[in-house]
């Protein structure tokens, strides 16, 4: 559920103004009575979730599932905080796996413990018009105690505060003006607007506002060192991988692909920066990222093949292939994808995965570089990219239309590494690296289509050989192979002019 709300801090004697008059004719502010809510919040001992604005709680006193996970999603132009709320059932004693799995990337190997109990006296008001509810206003007085304190009386209270929330309850445009007017009226009455801090963070104090344990990437300038650039690139890539963890677990579109790319990009960056870093620092992370990329690879490869099956079958509408046979082939691939996803789930649920993430955080927090990396990035990094570029040029410049698929695939790998290397140094080097990265991406795209077609052709052949008694599948696979090999040939024809536009001094002179 998407949660969009405005928060306001108020003192204990604050009196709600007459909002009905402010909203105008046709609107009503309807009291809904009082609720007593008790919420136990869970986090690691060092508050890894709170420091990221994430909250996990068990709350009683209202309808619906008692367990809630809230993930920050930014803010609106009007200043409302936006969070995604996921609610599930479960016993009070232990956070449910359905939610703890979603925060694995952030808690990693640290256990979850009860860090605070909040007892909220809430007065609720619905803001409505003739078509229904637009927003909800709540007036909360919050008592805070440590851990699982039951707050039977005031002796267990550590602190108390009061706040107002106006939460959007409708997708209608009329809700926009309601939130804006409410903010204006409440602020005029003395409420402190612009508060975006969750109750838990406010309750826990400064420890909950400390920086996350993954350092921010920061910024680079023309005076930054190569060591600064390495830290920037590795932290940015680590953040990308951690962010995609929850998306992979929720099976969001393209999430597995992007997580796999994040792994491959970090491994490529470690390779690019090899002359500048301590090999003992880089090697353990590289090995673990290779393992994770392999676990992500199975589902991604099956996903690509299923999409390829449909697109290849639809290549020539005037010569349609057997639709029933396509469905049977897709069922084979779907079964493979399901098994691969099960294997991925097992990997993400293993002890090795959170240990990998701990290693990732520790590694990128303090990159171990050699003396050369203390020089300016703009002086040192171009030569790192030159090594990668030369390997691509030596292969791509010699490709012929009759070379085996493996030779073309090797060129694709080198194009990807050259692109990643150029993108890695671009924050420090600037436009020249960005331009070369873009050109390498175009080379990679042509070679990627070549590889996808070649792999697919081999796959359709293997399926045909595995099902010799299904004549329709065998015939359909044969037709698919013909189309894939035609696509291979077309990619080889398209490649030379693309490479010619890339292998130019205008794009590569900065490397030397």
């Amino acid at each position: 559920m998407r949660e969009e709300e405005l928060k306001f801090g108020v003192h204990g004697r604050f009196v709600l103004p007459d909002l009905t008059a402010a909203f105008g004719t046709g609107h009503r502010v309807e009291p809904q009575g009082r609720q007593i809510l008790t919420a136990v919040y869970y986090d690691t001992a060092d508050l890894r979730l709170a420091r990221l604005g994430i909250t996990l709680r068990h709350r009683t006193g209202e309808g619906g599932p008692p367990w809630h996970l809230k993930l920050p999603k930014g803010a609106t132009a009007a200043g409302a905080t936006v969070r995604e709320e996921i609610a599930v059932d479960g016993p009070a004693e232990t956070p449910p796996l359905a939610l703890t799995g979603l925060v694995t990337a952030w808690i990693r190997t640290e256990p979850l413990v009860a860090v605070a109990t909040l007892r909220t006296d809430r007065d609720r008001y619905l803001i409505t018009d003739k078509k229904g509810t637009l927003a909800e206003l709540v007036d909360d007085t919050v008592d805070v105690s440590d851990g699982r304190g039951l707050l039977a009386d005031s002796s267990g209270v550590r602190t108390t505060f009061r706040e107002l929330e106006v939460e959007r309850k409708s997708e209608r445009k009329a809700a926009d003006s309601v939130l804006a007017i409410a903010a204006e009226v409440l602020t005029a009455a003395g409420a402190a607007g612009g508060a975006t801090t969750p109750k838990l963070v406010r309750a826990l104090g400064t420890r909950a506002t400390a920086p996350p344990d993954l350092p921010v990437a920061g910024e680079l300038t023309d005076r930054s060192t190569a060591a600064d650039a390495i830290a920037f690139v590795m932290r940015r890539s680590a953040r990308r991988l951690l962010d995609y963890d929850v998306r992979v677990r929720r099976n969001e579109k393209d999430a597995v692909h992007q997580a796999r790319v994040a792994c491959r990009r970090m491994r490529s960056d470690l390779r690019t920066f090899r002359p500048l870093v301590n090999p003992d620092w880089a090697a353990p992370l590289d090995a673990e990222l290779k393992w994770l990329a392999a676990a992500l690879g199975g589902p991604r490869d099956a996903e690509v093949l299923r999409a390829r099956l449909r697109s290849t079958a639809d290549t020539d509408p005037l010569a349609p292939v057997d639709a029933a046979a396509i469905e049977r082939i897709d069922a084979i691939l779907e079964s493979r994808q399901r098994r691969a996803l099960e294997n991925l789930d097992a990997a993400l649920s293993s002890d090795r995965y959170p240990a990998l993430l701990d290693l990732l955080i520790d590694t990128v927090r303090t990159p171990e570089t050699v003396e050369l990396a203390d020089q300016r990035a703009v002086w040192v990094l171009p030569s790192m990219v030159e090594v990668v570029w030369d390997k691509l040029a030596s292969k791509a410049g010699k490709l012929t239309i009759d070379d085996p698929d493996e030779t073309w695939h090797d060129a694709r790998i080198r194009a990807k590494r050259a692109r990643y290397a150029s993108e890695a140094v671009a924050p420090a080097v600037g436009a020249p690296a960005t331009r070369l990265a873009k050109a390498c991406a175009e080379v990679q795209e042509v070679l990627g289509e070549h590889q996808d077609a070649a792999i697919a052709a081999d796959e359709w052949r293997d399926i045909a050989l595995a099902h010799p008694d299904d004549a329709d599948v065998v015939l359909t696979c044969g037709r698919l192979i013909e189309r894939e090999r035609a696509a291979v040939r077309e990619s080889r024809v398209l490649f030379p002019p693309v490479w010619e536009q890339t292998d130019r001094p205008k794009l590569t002179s900065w490397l030397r």
Side-chain angles (χ1 to χ4, degrees):
M1 181 177 67
R2 184 178 187 271
E3 177 185 80
E4 179 183 331
E5 63 184 13
L6 296 166
K7 289 177 176 287
F8 303 87
V10 294
H11 55 73
R13 297 182 303 277
F14 178 86
V15 177
L16 279 176
D18 182 4
L19 292 170
T20 302
F23 292 131
T25 305
H27 291 78
R28 298 176 62 186
V29 179
E30 303 174 351
Q32 301 297 302
R34 172 164 290 193
Q35 289 179 318
I36 305 298
L37 308 173
T38 301
V40 180
Y41 285 81
Y42 288 80
D43 205 332
T44 60
D46 57 357
L47 305 182
R48 294 180 180 183
L49 298 182
R51 287 152 59 195
L52 290 161
I54 299 171
T55 57
L56 174 62
R57 73 186 181 201
H58 181 275
R59 188 163 78 175
T60 57
E62 60 183 345
W67 283 100
H68 307 134
L69 173 65
K70 293 190 177 184
L71 304 171
K73 295 295 182 181
T76 68
T81 59
V82 179
R83 294 188 292 177
E84 181 180 9
E85 181 175 356
I86 306 165
V88 301
D89 286 311
E93 292 74 21
T94 306
L97 289 175
L99 298 184
T100 58
L102 296 180
V103 297
T104 296
W106 305 113
I107 64 173
R108 302 185 297 284
T109 56
E110 283 296 303
L112 288 168
V113 295
V115 294
T117 297
L118 274 60
R119 178 186 186 276
T120 302
D121 288 0
R122 167 169 290 180
D123 290 317
R124 297 176 58 234
Y125 304 85
L126 292 182
I127 304 169
T128 65
D129 65 6
K130 295 179 180 179
K131 295 183 179 179
T133 301
L134 296 170
E136 179 184 46
L137 167 66
V138 298
D139 183 353
D140 290 342
T141 299
V142 183
D143 294 333
V144 183
S145 71
D146 293 321
R148 284 191 165 274
L150 299 179
L151 298 174
D153 55 52
S154 61
S155 64
V157 175
R158 180 155 55 90
T159 187
T160 299
F161 60 88
R162 185 181 173 196
E163 72 175 19
L164 308 177
E165 295 178 0
V166 183
E167 182 178 348
R168 186 188 191 104
K169 291 295 184 180
S170 172
E171 294 299 319
R172 290 191 288 134
K173 201 165 182 61
D176 292 336
S177 61
V178 163
L179 265 65
I181 293 171
E184 181 180 351
V185 173
L186 293 173
T187 302
T196 59
T197 305
K199 284 184 176 67
L200 175 65
V201 174
R202 186 172 176 180
L204 293 173
T206 55
R207 282 203 312 135
T209 59
D213 48 358
L214 172 62
V216 296
E219 295 182 358
L220 298 178
T221 70
D222 57 1
R223 301 187 66 83
S224 297
T225 66
D228 294 333
I230 292 169
F232 176 94
V233 169
M234 295 303 296
R235 291 170 184 175
R236 183 182 60 180
S237 295
R239 172 70 63 180
R240 185 180 293 116
L241 179 60
L242 292 172
D243 285 343
Y244 270 101
D245 175 274
V246 66
R247 303 182 191 184
V248 169
R249 293 174 186 276
R250 299 177 69 182
N251 200 28
E252 293 185 12
K253 184 178 180 181
D254 205 39
V256 169
H257 174 214
Q258 293 302 328
R260 186 190 193 189
V261 168
C263 290
R264 287 181 164 181
R265 186 181 292 272
M266 277 191 284
R267 296 191 68 215
S268 179
D269 292 342
L270 289 172
R271 188 180 296 108
T272 298
F273 296 135
R274 185 178 293 159
L276 302 175
V277 302
N278 180 347
D280 293 335
W281 168 82
L285 179 60
D286 180 68
E288 291 304 288
L289 289 173
K290 181 178 180 180
W291 167 75
L292 180 56
L296 293 161
R300 174 56 182 168
D301 290 344
E303 179 183 50
V304 170
L305 278 171
R306 293 186 70 190
R308 186 85 192 183
L309 173 65
R310 301 293 179 176
S311 62
T312 303
D314 295 338
T315 298
D316 187 355
L318 298 180
V321 295
D322 188 321
I326 291 295
E327 293 302 324
R328 292 201 291 279
I329 296 170
D330 184 63
I332 296 169
L333 299 177
E334 182 183 22
S335 177
R336 182 185 307 175
Q337 184 179 18
R338 185 168 58 253
R339 291 193 301 272
L341 287 170
E342 291 171 354
N343 291 337
L344 175 59
D345 182 66
L348 298 183
S349 301
S350 70
D351 292 339
R352 183 175 181 177
Y353 177 65
L356 180 161
L357 298 181
D358 270 344
L359 174 65
L360 174 64
I361 298 293
D362 291 342
T363 302
V364 305
R365 184 186 288 123
T366 54
E368 297 181 13
T369 55
V370 301
E371 186 176 351
L372 179 61
D374 294 334
Q375 298 186 27
R376 288 191 189 180
V378 291
W379 298 343
V380 175
L381 295 185
S383 62
M384 304 295 111
V385 181
E386 181 182 13
V387 172
V388 184
W389 167 260
D390 287 345
K391 290 181 179 180
L392 168 61
S394 66
K395 177 65 66 171
K398 298 177 182 178
L399 284 175
T400 70
I401 200 167
D402 295 323
D403 280 336
D405 291 344
E406 292 76 11
T407 302
W408 284 80
H409 178 47
D410 187 37
R412 173 179 174 265
I413 293 173
R414 298 187 185 195
K416 183 183 297 185
R417 290 176 179 172
R419 174 192 173 184
Y420 287 167
S422 300
E423 289 176 344
V425 306
V429 174
T434 301
R435 286 192 292 268
L436 182 59
K438 183 178 180 181
C440 288
E442 294 175 358
V443 172
Q444 181 188 338
E445 182 176 356
V446 175
L447 294 176
E449 167 62 20
H450 177 284
Q451 177 67 4
D452 287 349
I455 289 294
D458 290 344
E459 186 61 41
W460 312 145
R461 180 201 60 206
D462 291 345
I463 289 176
L465 292 173
H467 298 81
D469 297 332
D470 192 331
D472 291 335
V473 164
V474 171
L475 176 60
T476 299
C477 285
R479 297 185 65 189
L480 292 173
I481 292 170
E482 289 180 352
R483 294 181 181 188
E484 300 292 8
R485 294 313 303 180
V488 166
R489 192 77 176 180
E490 181 179 1
S491 295
R492 296 187 180 200
V493 171
L494 291 175
F495 177 75
V498 174
W499 175 245
E500 184 178 349
Q501 288 299 309
T502 302
D503 188 20
R504 294 183 296 159
K506 181 179 179 180
L507 292 176
T508 60
S509 59
W510 64 278
L511 299 176
R512 300 168 176 85

